[in-house]
Every structure is written in C-alpha cells, then in structure tokens.
Amino acid sequence: MAAITYEHIKTCKQSGARLGIVHTPHGSFETPMFMPVGTLATVKTMSPEDLKDMGAKIILSNTYHLWLRPGNEIIKEAGGLHRFMNWDRPILTDSGGFQVFSLSDMRKITEEGVEFRNHLNGERLFLTPEKCMEIQNDLGPDIMMAFDECPPYPAEYDYLKASVERTSRWAERCLKAHKRPEDQGLFGIVQGGEYEDLRRQSAEDLISLDFPGYAVGGLSVGEPKEVMNRVLEFTTPLLPADKPRYLMGVGSPDSLVDGSIRGIDMFDCVLPTRIARNGTLMTSTGRLVVRNAKYARDYRPLDENCDCHVCQNYSRAYIRHLVKCGETFGFRLTTYHNLYFLLKLMENIRQAIREDRLLDYREEFFEAYGFNKP
Ligand SMILES: CNc1nc2cc3nc(NC)[nH]c3cc2c(=O)[nH]1
Ligand SMILES: [Zn+2]
C-alpha cells in the first residue's frame, strides 16, 4: 500500500480545476490545499492547537534548517518530527535544495551534490541526494521532496537543460536511497524554467521513475506572474492525473486561485506568516497595514467579513497597539488571521469547484481584493 494516494473527486466544468483528497499515514486532506510553513518545527507563534482550530490539515518543515538545528539525530531520537513538535497530522518536508540556493552565499554544484557554507557559522557543508534522504527518513514526514536544483531566474537555456538532466539523475539517486517508501511518500520536482521542451523532458524523466506525487519547482523565484501561469498551463497537463501536484513556494491569494485553475492541488508559502510579523494583513478587501496611524482609533475587526477568532474578539486599534509595541501577542493575532484567511480562501476555491464556478469566484474575489485595479 503506497504511503500517499490521491483520490480525484471532480473537475470544475468552468475552469478545469480539480477537487481531490490526499491520503497520508497521518490523515487525509482535501485539495486544493494551502500548507502553513513551520521552518524550524514550529509555525512561528502558532501552537498545534491554534493550527487545528484554524483548520490547518498539513504543515511544511525545512530539511536544511532542521539538519543544522537541532539536527536530524535528535529529532529521530525524539520519535520523529510529529512527536517532537506534537503535530499528529500530515507533515511535508522540503529537501533543502532551495534553502541552500537562497540562503548560502557560497555554493558549488557538482554531480555528487552541493557544497556550501552553513548560513549560521560559515562552516563548509556538503548536501547530496543520499544525505538529503537520510535526513528526511530521520525526520519522518509523510511527504518528502527529492533533492533538486532550483535554478535562478532568468537562466540560460543550456544551463537549464544541464540542470534538468542532473536533477533527474539526483531524483533517481533519491529513490534508491529512500529507506521507508511504505510510510513516507517521495515527490519528484519538475524543473525546466520557462521552456516547454525542458519542462516536458523533466516531467517525462520523473514520471518514468513513478513517484507518488509531483511538485512543480523553479517558480515563484522572481518571474512575472504571467510567466508562472504560462509555465503551469503547459506543465500540469504533463503530470499524472491520479497523483497530487504541488506548486512550491506559492503563494499570494491571486496565485493560489490561478494555480488551482491550472490544476495544482497543494501550495506552501511563508508570505502569510512573514508579513504578519510586520503587521501586514490579508483581508477580503485587500492588504491592510495595521501599523498605519489611521487605525489608531479604529475599533473594527481586521476584516469585517472574517469569522476567525481574532476578528471576532480584537480590534484594529488594539492589534496596532500591540504590533507597534512589539508585543508577541500582537504577532500571534496577525499570524492567526493571515493563515485563517488563506485556509478559508482554499475552502472557498474548493466550494467554487464543487459548484463549477471557479472562474466566476475568481472575478468576485479579485474585484473585492483589488487585484483588478491597474
Ligand atoms: C526543495 N526543492 C525546491 N524547493 C523550492 C522552494 C521554493 N520556494 C519558492 N518561492 C518562495 N520557489 C521555490 C522553488 C523550489 C524548487 O524548485 N525546489
Ligand atoms: Zn480574521
């Protein structure tokens, strides 16, 4: 019995988006779904109880960060990441490749793997597909990601082609090194930049290795949204319809809608939690920067259309006060609301798919949020 299975429920007649369920050893979740990011084995300022209250079904943690601190050996000794952080629902860990490219100032990529400096103390480190699998096998997430190269944007065609071919060879090495396929699903990551032939080559290489799920990588790295949408339009149809599709590092509310329309099932992004910690909120009528003086005597909730615990009990004036004073409780309130907002958006997307009206919903949501404003 495979660790991860995808159950297709229906396809939206209006948009082509799909409604599904992903089954994992730690439970199931409906898709399209957003995964809160818990880099260091915590979704910053949120407890597991907060996450369950808001309806979070699966969270993401970072292999690179946990390898460095506290170390995969300690988490393994503690009984794995679920036990260590007291989260008994599904967990996905990324494979560290992206952090190495985005965090480390020095890196050398060879066939063997990637040599780089520890961003905390500058020591030289070496990450290979085999090491990446060992760490993730120790952490014990339900879904693991293959070790890949996320190329910079933009990148030369020849560089991208060589990178795709190496990422495919690395994916095969990951499969060979995977010790626990019966209780951890390993997803392949499709690369290829904005070139249709390279995306096709990457997808075909990975599909021949028969992964239980596939991610679309190499996006949300600074490219215009039209480029991301175009790449998705010709990439997701290449992927098996009976497996989950995960768009890495996405994203903003409009990208969650547009990615769902283009056949994506799973999303992750640090945006909601990161902007929450500087007092920027996602609301049904657009972004709200609660530090702004105009909210000093504004006793309304952050979002008058939000039914979350924060919007039922606290005012803009109070949250502005806490955020300006740097009170931790203020960041708990802003983080809770932003995550709730995105999880609610995903439920609205799933409901629009059930009613075959996701394109209509897109128009309504974009109009209210202000995405249509020039
Ligand atoms: C773990 N491998 C891997 N992670 C990623 C994380 C990302 N996060 C973003 N935007 C925030 N783009 C990403 C691409 C990749 C990617 O291509 N590969
Ligand atoms: Zn709210």
Side-chain angles (χ1 to χ4, degrees):
M1 173 66 178
I4 302 295
T5 56
Y6 175 75
E7 184 184 346
H8 176 259
I9 303 298
K10 71 165 284 189
T11 296
C12 173
K13 293 187 179 64
Q14 190 184 60
S15 68
R18 53 197 219 152
L19 184 70
I21 302 174
V22 174
H23 299 283
T24 85
H26 281 86
S28 305
F29 55 92
E30 287 186 307
T31 58
M33 174 54 75
F34 176 77
M35 301 182 281
V37 174
T39 297
L40 287 163
T42 166
V43 177
K44 290 181 172 42
T45 76
M46 293 288 97
S47 68
E49 293 73 23
D50 292 327
L51 293 169
K52 288 185 176 177
D53 288 349
M54 68 174 69
K57 293 289 188 301
I58 172 170
I59 62 168
L60 182 145
S61 258
N62 289 124
T63 296
Y64 167 72
H65 290 281
L66 293 173
W67 175 38
L68 268 49
R69 292 182 298 179
N72 44 296
E73 299 81 4
I74 285 178
I75 294 177
K76 182 178 183 178
E77 277 169 24
L81 196 49
H82 289 88
R83 182 81 254 24
F84 191 57
M85 66 185 292
N86 187 34
W87 176 255
D88 60 1
R89 294 183 176 181
I91 297 176
L92 180 149
T93 53
D94 77 358
S95 54
F98 185 75
Q99 266 74 34
V100 166
F101 295 111
S102 55
L103 277 177
S104 178
D105 57 352
M106 181 289 280
R107 62 185 172 274
K108 197 155 120 279
I109 307 174
T110 63
E111 185 62 28
E112 183 56 17
V114 183
E115 184 178 328
F116 58 97
R117 282 194 197 290
N118 177 329
H119 74 290
L120 300 169
N121 60 17
E123 70 172 348
R124 299 174 87 80
L125 290 171
F126 195 57
L127 202 48
T128 64
E130 292 76 15
K131 181 64 184 171
C132 166
M133 297 304 289
E134 177 195 336
I135 298 165
Q136 294 184 84
N137 282 150
D138 286 350
L139 299 177
D142 303 273
I143 301 174
M144 306 162 45
M145 300 311 292
F147 187 68
D148 67 329
E149 179 193 359
C150 174
Y153 177 84
E156 289 296 313
Y157 180 89
D158 293 345
Y159 181 85
L160 283 170
K161 182 165 173 52
S163 174
V164 161
E165 288 161 358
R166 182 172 51 217
T167 285
S168 297
R169 292 192 296 274
W170 283 355
E172 191 157 14
R173 284 169 54 187
C174 285
L175 266 180
K176 286 198 177 73
H178 188 9
K179 299 192 202 77
R180 302 168 51 190
E182 67 292 340
D183 53 15
Q184 291 184 283
L186 174 63
F187 281 17
I189 304 177
V190 174
Q191 295 291 352
E194 55 188 304
Y195 299 99
E196 186 163 359
D197 61 326
L198 296 183
R199 287 282 176 184
R200 180 179 303 282
Q201 179 183 344
S202 181
E204 285 170 1
D205 289 352
L206 298 179
I207 291 167
S208 71
L209 296 170
D210 192 24
F211 286 101
Y214 296 88
V216 180
L219 292 175
S220 190
V221 287
E223 77 283 359
K225 290 202 182 197
E226 309 74 64
V227 171
M228 173 156 71
N229 286 335
R230 183 168 54 81
V231 171
L232 290 178
E233 268 149 29
F234 60 66
T235 302
T236 46
L238 303 172
L239 301 175
D242 62 344
K243 303 275 176 69
R245 300 158 179 170
Y246 163 30
L247 177 54
M248 305 186 85
V250 173
S252 55
D254 54 332
S255 298
L256 294 174
V257 177
D258 284 339
S260 300
I261 288 170
R262 290 164 178 81
I264 295 294
D265 306 307
M266 296 163 61
F267 302 87
D268 89 272
C269 191
V270 295
L271 184 77
T273 38
R274 183 169 293 169
I275 64 171
R277 292 196 297 282
N278 67 30
T280 300
L281 286 308
M282 299 170 171
T283 78
S284 52
T285 54
R287 277 200 177 192
L288 182 151
V289 180
V290 79
R291 286 176 186 277
N292 194 311
K294 67 182 175 186
Y295 300 121
R297 313 174 92 90
D298 186 337
Y299 307 107
R300 293 174 294 173
L302 292 173
D303 182 347
E304 298 190 276
N305 303 315
C306 180
D307 61 354
C308 88
H309 176 75
V310 176
C311 294
Q312 301 305 306
N313 296 289
Y314 302 94
S315 70
R316 294 169 180 184
Y318 177 63
I319 294 169
R320 174 179 180 274
H321 158 64
L322 295 181
V323 165
K324 283 183 70 68
C325 297
E327 281 294 336
T328 304
F329 186 55
F331 301 121
R332 273 181 47 74
L333 294 173
T334 56
T335 299
Y336 188 101
H337 166 79
N338 274 357
L339 287 173
Y340 185 96
F341 180 85
L342 284 192
L343 290 166
K344 186 78 174 181
L345 171 59
M346 300 318 291
E347 174 48 43
N348 292 342
I349 289 171
R350 293 193 297 269
Q351 189 53 31
I353 295 171
R354 289 187 193 99
E355 298 168 3
D356 295 310
R357 59 179 303 276
L358 185 52
L359 296 182
D360 294 342
Y361 177 74
R362 181 184 188 278
E363 280 318 303
E364 293 153 16
F365 177 66
F366 278 36
E367 189 57 36
Y369 199 91
F371 283 118
N372 294 337
K373 278 188 201 120

